[in-house]
Amino acid sequence: MIKKISIIGAGAVGSTLAFTVLERIPPQTLVLIDIAVGLAKGIALDLEDTRGHLNFTTALIGTNSYQELKDSDIIILTAGAARREGMTRADLIKINATVAREASQKIKELAPAAIVIVITNPLDVITYIVSQETGFDRKRILGMGSSLDTSRLKNILHLATGASTLSLEALVYGIHSKDMIVSDARIKIEGKSIHSKLKDNELKLALSAVQLRGAEIVGHLKTKSAHFAPAVSCCSLLEAIINDKNEIIPVSVLLKGEYGLSGICMGVPCTINRNGADKIIELELTATEKEEVKKAKELFSQCMMSQ
Ligand code: NAI
């Protein structure tokens, strides 16, 4: 059993993630930290009351003190503003960069051996900031975004074709934004090209629906953004780490020459195990994908500069 998992930010994503973790991989101690006085404590007490049904032995702590991060094995950063209707993820940079810097200093001081999963948007730039501010080995700083986008792609392909998600191979990578890289070259259905099941115009619609899915959800919710699928995507990543699965999952990591890029974080497939993002998988890209990767670098730089 993993000893200590801490979640910074007890809002929609943080609290849903805490519940998912308790159901699937209960640790010895689960900490929820939020700047809003009483919020993390109230959520922790409510979660604790599921014990009678779920039977976990986890000690739950809800607090507004960062001191409780001490000696965490895994820390998940979900603190900061979420987008509202009409906003892009990049619009969150100013406020969330400050939150990420503050949290990184506490993580570095109190849990220097932790693996950190970043969820706060704009995901790739915040992952980069946490990487720079903590100075941790890049294997231990993972941004969760592309695995959510990949799950969204599988859902949308299921709806378009009727195929089970288990018969689909799919991968979304790149910057976690509407310009994520979602290429037909990365999709197989029952071992065959996706073109065997969908006409070109149907496929185009499906791929674009994936890119716009986050905004579609915000458009309905108006004042908040998605949280169930992000929490489950993060929990799957946690399972791969805790159970040393060597599972290939796309995560945002600091690139040092891979894909011809350096000094940026971007979602790429990685082998996930108890070391974190242990190995970056370098795909053989099509010419179109290479162009999209170049564009990803520009998008990252623009967002970095707008801080
Ligand atoms: P939320 O607004 O429900 O919760 C955020 C929480 O962070 C609030 O409770 C707030 O009090 C807290 N907070 C703010 N500053 C803090 C600080 N300095 N220290 C501790 N806590 C602090 O937002 P939600 O929906 O939970 O989203 C959280 C973040 O995750 C947003 O940036 C959102 O855009 C991002 N997100 C990322 C996804 C991904 O795939 N990477 C998917 C969904 C959301």
Side-chain angles (χ1 to χ4, degrees):
M1 189 195 259
I2 186 101
K3 284 196 197 126
K4 188 169 182 181
I5 297 180
S6 295
I7 301 172
I8 308 177
V13 175
S15 57
T16 312
L17 173 62
F19 179 58
T20 315
V21 164
L22 279 178
E23 276 205 302
R24 283 169 55 173
I25 35 167
Q28 280 178 23
T29 305
L30 180 60
V31 178
L32 275 163
I33 298 172
D34 201 288
I35 200 170
V37 177
L39 179 68
K41 180 72 183 170
I43 299 279
L45 292 179
D46 187 11
L47 287 169
E48 213 176 42
D49 290 343
T50 64
R51 193 189 306 275
H53 297 285
L54 301 180
N55 305 319
F56 51 77
T57 54
T58 303
L60 274 144
I61 298 170
T63 177
N64 57 359
S65 163
Y66 271 96
Q67 289 307 311
E68 294 289 353
L69 281 182
K70 195 163 171 43
D71 298 333
S72 298
D73 299 292
I74 306 181
I75 296 172
I76 302 106
L77 179 67
T78 77
R83 62 186 169 144
R84 291 165 184 235
E85 197 181 13
M87 290 173 88
T88 69
R89 295 175 179 94
D91 292 335
L92 304 168
I93 183 65
K94 281 200 169 68
I95 176 158
N96 288 354
T98 308
V99 172
R101 288 201 174 89
E102 183 188 309
S104 299
Q105 289 313 317
K106 299 291 181 192
I107 293 169
K108 190 175 164 183
E109 177 194 331
L110 295 162
I115 291 177
V116 183
I117 299 177
V118 177
I119 297 191
T120 301
N121 275 319
L123 193 264
D124 303 278
V125 168
I126 298 294
T127 305
Y128 180 81
I129 289 171
V130 174
S131 172
Q132 297 303 296
E133 296 283 326
T134 59
F136 288 2
D137 185 303
R138 65 172 171 162
K139 289 182 182 177
R140 292 200 282 127
I141 306 285
L142 293 68
M144 191 295 297
S146 294
S147 61
L148 166 65
D149 298 329
T150 300
S151 179
R152 286 175 169 164
L153 171 61
K154 286 184 177 174
N155 172 45
I156 284 167
L157 290 176
H158 163 77
L159 296 173
T161 65
S164 153
T165 54
L166 296 178
S167 68
L168 287 167
E169 279 172 50
L171 170 72
V172 180
Y173 62 105
I175 301 290
H176 179 58
S177 68
K178 69 172 180 41
D179 296 299
M180 64 186 74
I181 304 174
V182 45
S183 158
D184 57 350
R186 302 291 147 213
I187 306 170
K188 287 226 164 77
I189 189 159
E190 292 159 359
K192 293 191 194 125
S193 158
I194 183 65
H195 293 281
S196 66
K197 288 276 182 190
L198 290 179
K199 295 190 191 113
D200 284 355
N201 61 332
E202 290 169 334
L203 181 59
K204 206 172 157 199
L205 269 179
L207 301 191
S208 130
V210 177
Q211 292 171 314
L212 299 174
R213 187 66 164 187
E216 182 189 356
I217 293 169
V218 178
H220 288 288
L221 297 177
K222 312 269 187 231
T223 56
K224 57 199 282 194
S225 61
H227 45 284
F228 292 107
V232 170
S233 297
C234 182
C235 197
S236 297
L237 198 51
L238 283 168
E239 274 176 339
I241 295 169
I242 292 166
N243 297 333
D244 200 24
K245 279 177 143 180
N246 285 314
E247 185 176 349
I248 296 176
I249 301 178
V251 289
S252 185
V253 283
L254 180 65
L255 298 177
K256 295 181 177 175
E258 295 86 1
Y259 294 93
L261 299 172
S262 284
I264 83 162
C265 288
M266 179 180 101
V268 289
C270 291
T271 306
I272 308 294
N273 60 29
R274 67 158 66 105
N275 298 321
D278 205 17
K279 189 175 165 220
I280 295 174
I281 311 287
E282 283 210 67
L283 302 168
E284 269 185 41
L285 301 182
T286 64
T288 317
E289 287 180 299
K290 282 182 186 160
E291 284 307 308
E292 296 218 53
V293 164
K294 271 192 208 153
K295 204 165 120 195
K297 185 177 181 184
E298 282 164 35
L299 287 168
F300 180 90
S301 305
Q302 277 167 18
C303 190
M304 270 302 280
M305 284 191 305
S306 63
Q307 279 180 70

